[in-house]
Amino acid sequence: MKLVLAIVQDKDSNRLANEFIEANIRATKLSSTGGFLKAGNSTFIIGVEDERVEKTLDLIKKNCQSRKQYVSTSPMTLNVSLEGQVSYPVEVEVGGATVFVLPIEKFQQY
Ligand code: 2BA
Ligand code: 2BA
């Protein structure tokens, strides 16, 4: 069994959750916050049998699209030595999903 951790954009999370139900893949959705944009995203925890990991990854890939977002940032953040702290928008490509697959030592439901 594997633990799939998938960080996805909020916009894709409902559709993905519904696809998991349809495919009979059990999942838990957490509300999370991206460290860089400090905006909300969703983290799925999915405990799944080894033989269904690929199906799980396929669904994530199919339902999560990358988008451009703008972040208001200051020169300090960008490591540029400019005077003052003027913020200006910088385009950032937010990926469809960031996924980790981990081994599960034990799976227990009480
Ligand atoms: P939920 O996904 O909201 O599921 C609540 C209960 O509904 C489940 O209880 C189960 O009895 C039933 N259920 C869920 N999916 C089903 C399906 N496809 N077909 C028929 N019945 C289904 P529990 O199994 O005790 O799970 C309680 C909560 O623990 C789940 O809430 C979910 O958040 C989490 N969870 C359970 N198994 C998981 C797994 N393999 N990976 C990640 N999270 C899991
Ligand atoms: P955020 O940390 O809010 O990052 C959003 C997007 O901003 C990232 O998209 C990336 O394109 C950009 N970005 C992040 N850190 C940056 C930096 N130091 N400099 C310049 N640009 C930066 P994604 O890479 O697709 O990541 C989307 C979200 O997935 C992230 O939201 C974070 O919540 C999570 N994530 C990505 N990589 C992770 C990792 N290695 N560990 C844990 N979470 C991760």
Side-chain angles (χ1 to χ4, degrees):
M1 201 164 188
K2 295 284 188 290
L3 185 71
V4 178
L5 282 178
I7 303 153
V8 310
Q9 295 180 52
D10 283 340
K11 282 177 185 158
D12 298 320
S13 65
N14 273 346
R15 190 176 54 237
L16 182 60
N18 288 334
E19 293 267 356
F20 284 147
I21 294 171
E22 217 163 279
N24 196 22
I25 292 168
R26 310 268 168 125
T28 298
K29 189 176 81 150
L30 307 177
S31 294
S32 43
T33 306
F36 187 67
L37 292 181
K38 299 185 176 65
N41 53 27
S42 298
T43 300
F44 283 88
I45 300 177
I46 307 140
V48 68
E49 301 80 15
D50 285 2
E51 57 274 20
R52 299 211 300 157
V53 168
E54 281 312 310
K55 170 76 183 167
T56 304
L57 298 181
D58 276 355
L59 286 179
I60 294 169
K61 203 170 160 189
K62 241 187 265 165
N63 287 284
C64 300
Q65 59 184 95
S66 70
R67 297 180 182 89
K68 288 188 168 64
Q69 265 178 247
Y70 287 88
V71 56
S72 198
T73 191
S74 68
M76 283 269 286
T77 320
L78 291 174
N79 228 0
V80 178
S81 52
L82 295 175
E83 291 285 316
Q85 285 294 297
V86 186
S87 288
Y88 54 91
V90 171
E91 191 180 80
V92 168
E93 177 93 21
V94 184
T98 297
V99 183
F100 305 90
V101 181
L102 298 88
I104 291 179
E105 201 167 300
K106 206 171 184 182
F107 173 71
Q108 215 71 60
Q109 284 193 302
Y110 298 111

